[in-house]
Amino acid sequence: MSSISKPSRYFGIEINPLKKKPKNPSLKICLAFPETYELGMSHYGFLLLYQLLKEDKSLLVDRVFSPWPDRENSLRERKEELASYEFGVPLSGFDVIGFSLAYELSLTNVLAMLDLGGIPLSSRDRKGQAPIIIGGGALVANPEPFAAFFDAIFIGEGEEGITEMLAAVREGRRSGLTRNQLLRSLVRIEGVYVPGLYRPIYRENGDLKGFESKKKAPETIKRRIVADIDKFLPPSSPIFPSTKPVHDRIAIEISRGCTRGCRFCQAGYYYRPRRERKADSVLDYMRKVVLTSGYDEVGLLSLSSSDYSCVNELLKQSMDILEREKISISLPSLRIDTISEDLVREVKRVRKGGFTIAPEAGREKLRGVINKDITDREILSTVAWIFENGWRTVKMYFMIGLPGEEEEDLYAIRDLSEEALKIAQRRGRRNTVTVSVSTFVPKPHTPFQWSEQISRVEMERKIGILKRAFGRRKNITFKWNSPHMSWLEGIISRGDRRVGKIIEKSFKLGARFDAWSDQLNVDLWERALSSLGMTPDTYTRERRTDEFLPWDIIDTGVTKAFLLREWEKARAGKATEDCSTKGCKGCGVCRVGEIETRISLPLSPPEESAAPEMGERSRLMQASYLVVHRKAGGAASQSALELQSLLSRTLRSSGLPLAFSEGFNPKPKISFPPALPVGIESRAECFLVTLVRETSPSDILSILKRLLPRELKPTAVIEASTRMSSLILEERFKIEPDGAGSLPAILPEKERDKTAGIKKVVKRGGNVYVSIERAPGKSAVKSIVGGIFGCTLSDLRIKITKTSADIYIEQNHEKRQIYPHKQQGLRNAGGSGRE
């Protein structure tokens, strides 16, 4: 484990009332996310399906994530198969593996996970009882580049479809269907694409002519749409991840789809029609789930959160519920022309997170081409509101390489950003603006699907112009996306099945984690293209409007005729109004009477709450309690910050009356001792928590025993109002061989490193027992091994366990030991202090 970065990705613990492993499951399914654990555990759709499947008690449901290269190398060296996260089931032991496909540059990770799981990469090579490999997610808008790797691909929104697919697999296995027969049965489910039943046909010039489908396979696959998103609740048992996720918050989807019609936005077209969750359902979720989740932030998810029909009132009532527990709200997607001063004021009531706006283009003319009809004046007015309400920085997102872009548009990005900075600095000289630029990638099922993508040389030239234009301008930070990533994304996003060969070849050459700038090796992709005799221009070129496109086999509901009209309007610089306010524009997706497209939702009157306000809480009497707990098993693989986050969230979800800090970013008053290094278990860890009123230590202990997993089992709660840094005077450790072997000889006492604070060393029964003086800020065991054996921790295969700690408080200028409980008659102790 010492050779693996972030071991908590694989061996850590999670805090969550998880379902036990069923003894005789009717089906075993693993949800796979082809990225790291912290990215997968931030993905709303992935977690939503995980909860949905867990509700079926007959299923064994687990998760798996892409191992980082060091972990992959370790698995290959040990000849171990990649296994699932919770139950450790090898991937080849599942009936179904469902991949969430969110980004083009994660596809080599898909192949790595299949290969590590002992599963053939190609669907045609899988036989008999090999797992059925299913793909789903945003990327399947064009499934052709990766079609060969999947047995089935689900097109659309999976909440309803996934249960139907699993039922079909279960029945097929029960009935003894062959693998091919089972796959043929899946195509009867709306939204299911079985690539093996379709053969692409090419013209002599290499252009795709169409598909030849086998008997009973539909000519096109109709995207599955959830008619009423209120039928499927957001995750009601949020998981506290073992390591900090990228989006460290609990989320609720308030609407799905968008009617704005930004011509570059695939999600805006693919997820039509727009549907809203009932406002009362959102508020009910706030009260029942968010308040007790342990998270300090909730994200209201939507393609355009500020378009929600009663967003201001929803925000106000939500903050009335959440503010008491210092839980903030974030709105990840805000349209500039819908941001109001009322909305800005509500968002900042607890804490001010980052504020991001997306003008997309520097000039209004180009914004008209992309159908983002906002003016410079609206953008700068929004910037003014943001800084007037106390924010210190704003992020502005732009794109380069858009259809119709001129050189003036690049300089306009700089000019608009500098105007924003002038406004910012009128409200504070230290206020800043961050400008992020990405390269436009034409995506399937958008009006720009026929557009050319600019070359890498042109990407680099335009980024160079912007870098020189911004120069070293103080208080403006300029960032840009890698042209190599945008180039690869463009090849894959509009590719056909031949691109699958490029992906597979790049994987075999060693490509992994291509969406990570420090991992991307573009030379491997160029070698793959060259060895296969393929050129990027085949996929990045402008497409003719009369040619058959690889993704034409997918029927999203939005007609090709509508997209073509929008493409022609874009070339003419004409805008299309929002159909939710200006009438239907004839895109074809809305099925009247079938899909619930709620607009202008009513809100019930707010509920009264008897909970004290935070200002009132701060005036109550405060009391501090020392909690002593163990750190074993997977908890030992987690860093100190990861464990502190888990423990803090558990306390927030416990219902205990926590005291909070004051100021800009209020946090629970919890303090921790100096940290142990990763990999070391302990029977006597502790933390100090402050409550706003006196509470029985035995009650606190009972609550925490119920909430914390056995790896963090609390053993005592003691009333102890003092500083954390002065509590621990001595710690004891046991050092033993990790597996077969023995420890080296102990250095003579005179040769030991006295700076390590070593007080006593005893060798007994092949193990070494050490006592260390614990000083504030001193690492517990960094120099134990060097001080005792004269070598480093990495030189030995040993196991170190912290066995105990002497904890004191100071009373009347005297030290009094409070753990272990050696004094008779010690009051207010919630545990014995003994293992």
Side-chain angles (χ1 to χ4, degrees):
M1 187 171 70
S2 61
S3 63
I4 296 173
S5 61
K6 277 207 173 183
S8 55
R9 286 171 171 164
Y10 321 105
F11 316 114
I13 59 169
E14 296 173 328
I15 296 179
N16 169 270
L18 292 173
K19 182 181 74 172
K20 291 183 178 180
K21 184 177 181 180
K23 291 183 178 180
N24 297 299
S26 61
L27 207 65
K28 291 182 286 186
I29 177 169
C30 188
L31 295 182
F33 198 88
E35 260 295 349
T36 60
Y37 172 91
E38 54 266 40
L39 278 167
M41 293 304 294
S42 297
H43 194 274
Y44 181 82
F46 181 78
L47 297 177
L48 187 64
L49 290 181
Y50 176 63
Q51 173 181 279
L52 179 66
L53 295 179
K54 280 204 306 176
E55 292 172 358
D56 187 339
K57 305 301 181 185
S58 70
L59 298 176
L60 185 151
V61 183
D62 209 339
R63 296 158 287 152
V64 69
F65 306 92
S66 185
W68 197 249
D70 54 3
R71 173 63 173 160
E72 178 183 341
N73 293 338
S74 174
L75 289 171
R76 293 191 187 281
E77 287 171 5
R78 296 168 182 254
K79 296 183 179 180
E80 292 180 13
E81 189 173 307
L82 182 63
S84 63
Y85 186 87
E86 282 176 62
F87 302 128
V89 177
L91 289 196
S92 60
F94 285 93
D95 298 298
V96 176
I97 300 175
F99 278 89
S100 290
L101 305 174
Y103 187 41
E104 288 86 354
L105 300 190
S106 66
L107 289 169
T108 53
N109 290 353
V110 172
L111 300 187
M113 294 170 76
L114 291 173
D115 191 49
L116 287 167
I119 300 167
L121 303 184
S122 175
S123 173
R124 67 173 180 269
D125 295 330
R126 297 177 199 131
K127 309 296 181 184
Q129 297 300 304
I132 302 295
I133 308 301
I134 300 173
L139 205 55
V140 303
N142 176 21
E144 290 308 294
F146 46 87
F149 311 134
F150 289 88
D151 300 310
I153 295 172
F154 187 81
I155 310 297
E157 299 164 358
E159 291 96 325
E160 294 172 331
I162 192 168
T163 54
E164 294 176 16
M165 291 183 76
L166 294 180
V169 172
R170 181 162 41 198
E171 181 57 33
R173 290 273 166 96
R174 187 181 293 129
S175 303
L177 296 183
T178 66
R179 190 177 188 85
N180 286 337
Q181 288 172 331
L182 195 157
L183 293 177
R184 285 177 181 273
S185 73
L186 291 178
V187 298
R188 295 195 289 268
I189 300 170
E190 183 179 285
V192 176
Y193 176 40
V194 178
L197 300 182
Y198 298 81
R199 184 173 69 87
I201 303 171
Y202 294 94
R203 302 181 189 276
E204 289 184 4
N205 65 357
D207 289 352
L208 183 65
K209 182 179 180 181
F211 289 91
E212 181 180 82
S213 59
K214 295 183 180 179
K215 189 177 180 181
K216 294 185 179 179
E219 289 187 8
T220 58
I221 294 84
K222 193 174 183 180
R223 178 175 68 98
R224 187 72 170 265
I225 300 172
V226 173
D228 182 0
I229 63 171
D230 257 323
K231 285 175 60 180
F232 298 96
L233 299 175
S236 58
S237 300
I239 297 170
F240 295 171
S242 62
T243 189
K244 187 176 181 179
V246 173
H247 299 303
D248 194 11
R249 65 190 178 210
I250 185 172
I252 176 171
E253 183 185 37
I254 60 173
S255 69
R256 189 175 298 181
C258 182
T259 55
R260 290 286 184 163
C262 298
R263 292 176 179 133
F264 60 85
C265 180
Q266 185 182 58
Y269 289 92
Y270 186 72
Y271 288 106
R272 288 190 177 199
R274 180 179 163 212
R275 291 144 289 164
E276 292 189 348
R277 192 177 298 280
K278 290 178 182 176
D280 285 340
S281 296
V282 177
L283 292 175
D284 195 47
Y285 187 74
M286 299 289 183
R287 297 184 190 98
K288 294 181 179 179
V289 179
V290 176
L291 279 179
T292 59
S293 69
Y295 284 89
D296 61 5
E297 181 180 323
V298 57
L300 302 184
L301 304 188
S302 170
L303 290 176
S304 180
S305 301
S306 49
D307 276 338
Y308 188 79
S309 55
C310 52
V311 65
N312 287 332
E313 183 59 26
L314 176 66
L315 271 176
K316 182 180 183 306
Q317 290 200 29
S318 296
M319 289 310 306
D320 288 344
I321 295 168
L322 303 178
E323 187 177 11
R324 302 180 185 97
E325 298 300 327
K326 292 299 180 186
I327 300 173
S328 64
I329 283 181
S330 66
L331 296 162
S333 301
L334 293 172
R335 284 274 308 194
I336 291 171
D337 52 343
T338 57
I339 299 175
S340 67
E341 289 190 76
D342 287 342
L343 184 147
V344 172
R345 279 195 293 269
E346 291 297 332
V347 168
K348 70 163 191 172
R349 275 171 61 176
V350 170
R351 63 178 62 84
K352 295 186 286 290
F355 213 114
T356 301
I357 58 176
E360 309 294 1
R363 287 198 300 169
E364 292 177 11
K365 178 183 176 182
L366 189 54
R367 282 181 228 129
V369 171
I370 65 178
N371 206 39
K372 192 146 190 178
D373 193 19
I374 52 175
T375 65
D376 290 352
R377 183 177 179 180
E378 287 173 319
I379 293 168
L380 296 175
S381 294
T382 301
V383 170
W385 288 343
I386 292 169
F387 286 106
E388 284 169 2
N389 279 276
W391 271 266
R392 298 290 301 276
T393 186
V394 68
K395 297 178 183 178
M396 302 177 72
Y397 281 125
F398 297 91
M399 285 189 288
I400 60 171
L402 288 162
E405 181 182 73
E406 300 172 352
E407 202 130 312
E408 291 177 47
D409 292 294
L410 301 178
Y411 291 105
I413 291 174
R414 176 204 58 190
D415 295 343
L416 187 61
S417 303
E418 290 194 337
E419 287 298 315
L421 182 63
K422 288 178 185 177
I423 293 170
Q425 297 206 310
R426 285 200 291 268
R427 274 79 182 175
R429 293 184 62 185
R430 294 185 180 180
N431 290 345
T432 62
V433 173
T434 297
V435 178
S436 292
V437 169
S438 62
T439 302
F440 163 69
V441 178
K443 290 298 180 85
H445 304 293
T446 70
F448 287 161
Q449 65 182 357
W450 293 282
S451 175
E452 178 188 17
Q453 181 183 11
I454 62 173
S455 68
R456 269 189 295 175
V457 172
E458 186 67 359
M459 293 178 202
E460 289 168 351
R461 186 185 75 84
K462 292 189 175 189
I463 289 170
I465 289 173
L466 284 168
K467 287 166 70 175
R468 289 189 294 274
F470 279 103
R472 295 189 176 183
R473 183 75 165 85
K474 190 177 180 181
N475 295 100
I476 289 185
T477 301
F478 176 62
K479 299 179 178 180
W480 63 93
N481 279 9
S482 163
H484 299 307
M485 290 183 183
S486 300
W487 174 70
L488 285 176
E489 186 181 338
I491 293 171
I492 297 171
S493 68
R494 296 198 301 169
D496 53 24
R497 290 201 189 181
R498 293 172 293 189
V499 170
K501 296 178 182 178
I502 303 172
I503 296 168
E504 184 172 353
K505 182 68 173 178
S506 299
F507 156 72
K508 289 180 177 177
L509 289 171
R512 303 287 191 280
F513 289 96
D514 302 296
W516 296 65
S517 59
D518 61 337
Q519 298 296 313
L520 173 64
N521 186 343
V522 73
D523 291 343
L524 301 180
W525 289 86
E526 290 172 337
R527 284 168 56 191
L529 278 160
S530 177
S531 67
L532 295 168
M534 303 172 76
T535 61
D537 292 348
T538 304
Y539 304 105
T540 60
R541 65 179 173 85
E542 182 174 342
R543 307 298 173 94
R544 301 186 316 275
T545 56
D546 63 346
E547 72 176 286
F548 188 89
L549 302 172
W551 51 93
D552 282 345
I553 195 171
I554 305 301
D555 176 11
T556 68
V558 177
T559 67
K560 198 170 183 180
F562 173 77
L563 295 177
L564 184 57
R565 290 198 301 272
E566 286 295 299
W567 174 229
E568 291 168 349
K569 290 175 75 173
R571 287 178 155 180
K574 295 181 180 179
T576 297
E577 295 173 316
D578 185 346
C579 65
S580 68
T581 57
K582 302 295 183 180
C584 178
K585 306 304 174 188
C587 74
V589 75
C590 290
R591 303 199 295 267
V592 178
E594 295 181 39
I595 298 173
E596 184 63 62
T597 55
R598 297 190 186 88
I599 304 294
S600 301
L601 303 177
L603 262 173
S604 302
E607 292 185 5
E608 294 294 329
S609 175
E613 296 286 348
M614 290 310 300
E616 184 182 342
R617 278 190 175 195
S618 65
R619 291 190 295 271
L620 298 175
M621 181 181 293
Q622 296 189 355
S624 296
Y625 298 89
L626 182 78
V627 179
V628 184
H629 65 93
R630 64 185 298 176
K631 188 186 84 166
S637 71
Q638 297 187 246
S639 71
L641 289 177
E642 289 167 348
L643 282 174
Q644 288 170 17
S645 177
L646 281 172
L647 291 167
S648 297
R649 286 176 178 170
T650 303
L651 288 164
R652 289 189 70 119
S653 68
S654 67
L656 292 169
L658 301 179
F660 284 82
S661 62
E662 302 292 335
F664 172 73
N665 190 16
K667 297 287 185 182
K669 288 186 176 180
I670 308 168
S671 55
F672 297 88
L676 289 176
V678 172
I680 294 180
E681 296 190 350
S682 173
R683 298 174 192 166
E685 287 303 281
C686 63
F687 60 86
L688 198 66
V689 58
T690 302
L691 307 182
V692 295
R693 62 174 178 267
E694 290 188 357
T695 306
S696 165
S698 59
D699 289 345
I700 298 172
L701 182 65
S702 176
I703 290 169
L704 294 181
K705 277 186 175 180
R706 174 172 53 83
L707 294 176
L708 288 170
R710 63 180 181 273
E711 293 92 341
L712 292 172
K713 179 183 176 183
T715 55
V717 175
I718 309 153
E719 193 171 322
S721 298
T722 187
R723 290 185 178 181
M724 187 77 245
S725 59
S726 63
L727 282 171
I728 301 174
L729 294 190
E730 185 174 317
E731 296 178 319
R732 284 172 286 280
F733 294 85
K734 175 183 178 182
I735 304 176
E736 56 189 319
D738 186 9
S742 59
L743 299 177
I746 300 173
L747 293 176
E749 185 174 351
K750 63 180 180 179
E751 296 182 29
R752 291 184 200 148
D753 181 4
K754 296 297 183 181
T755 62
I758 298 173
K759 296 179 68 176
K760 186 177 181 182
V761 179
V762 176
K763 189 167 185 180
R764 187 169 63 246
N767 301 324
V768 174
Y769 297 84
V770 191
S771 296
I772 295 184
E773 182 180 2
R774 187 71 169 262
K778 184 186 291 184
S779 175
V781 292
K782 271 188 176 179
S783 47
I784 280 185
V785 174
I788 298 173
F789 305 113
C791 55
T792 64
L793 188 61
S794 58
D795 293 332
L796 299 173
R797 292 194 63 183
I798 61 174
K799 179 181 179 182
I800 303 178
T801 304
K802 178 178 168 182
T803 58
S804 61
D806 290 342
I807 303 174
Y808 289 73
I809 60 171
E810 189 172 296
Q811 288 183 336
N812 299 323
H813 305 288
E814 291 185 3
K815 299 280 186 183
R816 182 168 72 88
Q817 187 168 1
I818 61 170
Y819 185 89
H821 302 151
K822 295 179 178 178
Q823 298 186 18
Q824 297 296 321
L826 182 64
R827 300 176 59 199
N828 298 328
S832 68
R834 299 185 178 88
E835 289 295 312

